[in-house]
Each structure stands twice: as C-alpha cells, then as structure tokens.
Amino acid sequence: MAATKASPARALVLATISFTLCFAAWGLIGGLASIFTGLFELTASQTALLVAVPVLLGSVARLPMGMLTDQFGGRVVFTALLAFSSIAAFVVPMTSSYSSLLVAAFLIGMAGSSFAVGAAFVSRWTPAAKQGTALGVYGLGTMGQSLAVFVGPVVASRL
C-alpha cells in the first residue's frame, strides 16, 4: 500500500470543520442560557456565571493547549480535544442541577481552546506565503459559536 502525501488543503478543511464543531460546543451553554435559566430557576448572577465559566476556561486553556500542540502535534491534540469536547457536550442534557450544569460548562470550556490548537496545526501545514489566507479560512470556524447561539435553542425546543 503506497503512502499518500498529506495535503495542506485537506488539513485546512478538516481543521476548520473541527474548529467550527468545537466553537459550537463552546457556545452551547451561552446559546441555551435562557432555557437553563427557566429550567433551573436561575438568578441573573447564576446565569452570568454559567455563561462565563466556559468562556473563561476556554481562554485560559489556550496557552497549555498550544504548548501541548507544539509537543505532540495538532492532529493528536485536536483529536483528543474533539473527543473530550463531544463527551462534555453529551453530558449537558444529563445535568439535573445547577451545580452539575456548572461542571458540564467547565468541561465544555476546553472546546474554546481549539483556536490555539488549530492555528498552530494550520500554520505548520501551510507555506509561509499563504499562511494569512489559511488562517483566515480557519478563522471561519468561529461561526460555530453563532450556530450554537442561533440554532441550539431551536434544536433544543424540538427535542
């Protein structure tokens, strides 16, 4: 079986899709905040904390996730991050209290670190003269958070 040469375009497409999925998971709690507020009868402060937890963790986790990407490579770290984020997102509908929802929000926060993982991954696979364009395409993955905010409540209401 002959080895196939890896394609920078393929890596960019896969990284952008992965980033979109991670950002959709990252925006899940914020997108569903109004539903959680009614479901758990949350105060404004509780809702604000619930929405802030994944955002803060995602921001803080970018540094160690970038370091892990430097050490182990983007493919391995992105795969692990996607697996972890999917499990965290799967846990959200199983929560039965505000405290368990905060724990799930904390876990989902890791998905926000996907920016650092993918930026390093895409940069390595792209020639220097095209890195700006590639990172711009990769940045389209931030649409995932918008999808979570706009589509998440619609899907939740139907399920």
Side-chain angles (χ1 to χ4, degrees), residues 37 51 60 67 73 89 105 115 121 126 132 134:
T37 299
V51 172
V60 171
M67 292 166 53
F115 177 78
F121 181 64
T126 308

Side-chain angles (χ1 to χ4, degrees), residues 17-38:
I17 291 168
S18 299
F19 184 42
T20 303
L21 292 172
C22 281
F23 255 49
W26 194 43
L28 182 66
I29 299 295
L32 299 175
S34 61
I35 293 171
F36 294 133
T37 299

Side-chain angles (χ1 to χ4, degrees), residues 38 61 132 151:
V151 178

Side-chain angles (χ1 to χ4, degrees), residues 2-141:
T4 59
K5 184 175 182 202
S7 162
R10 180 173 179 253
L12 177 60
V13 168
L14 292 175
T16 303
I17 291 168
S18 299
F19 184 42
T20 303
L21 292 172
C22 281
F23 255 49
W26 194 43
L28 182 66
I29 299 295
L32 299 175
S34 61
I35 293 171
F36 294 133
T37 299
L39 186 65
F40 295 114
E41 299 176 358
L42 304 179
T43 65
S45 296
Q46 288 173 315
T47 302
L49 178 62
L50 179 65
V51 172
V53 164
V55 174
L56 289 172
L57 179 61
S59 299
V60 171
R62 288 178 183 168
L63 178 61
M65 292 302 286
M67 292 166 53
L68 287 171
T69 301
D70 288 342
Q71 186 172 3
F72 298 108
R75 182 180 298 173
V76 170
V77 175
F78 226 144
T79 301
L81 181 60
L82 280 166
F84 183 86
S85 299
S86 65
I87 292 167
F90 184 73
V91 168
V92 172
M94 295 181 196
T95 58
S96 58
S97 67
Y98 176 65
S99 58
S100 63
L101 186 57
L102 275 176
V103 171
F106 181 80
L107 297 175
I108 280 186
M110 285 302 296
S113 68
S114 59
F115 177 78
V117 176
F121 181 64
V122 168
S123 294
R124 286 193 186 126
W125 280 90
T126 308
K130 296 187 180 201
Q131 283 183 357
T133 301
L135 290 171
V137 170
Y138 174 72
L140 291 172

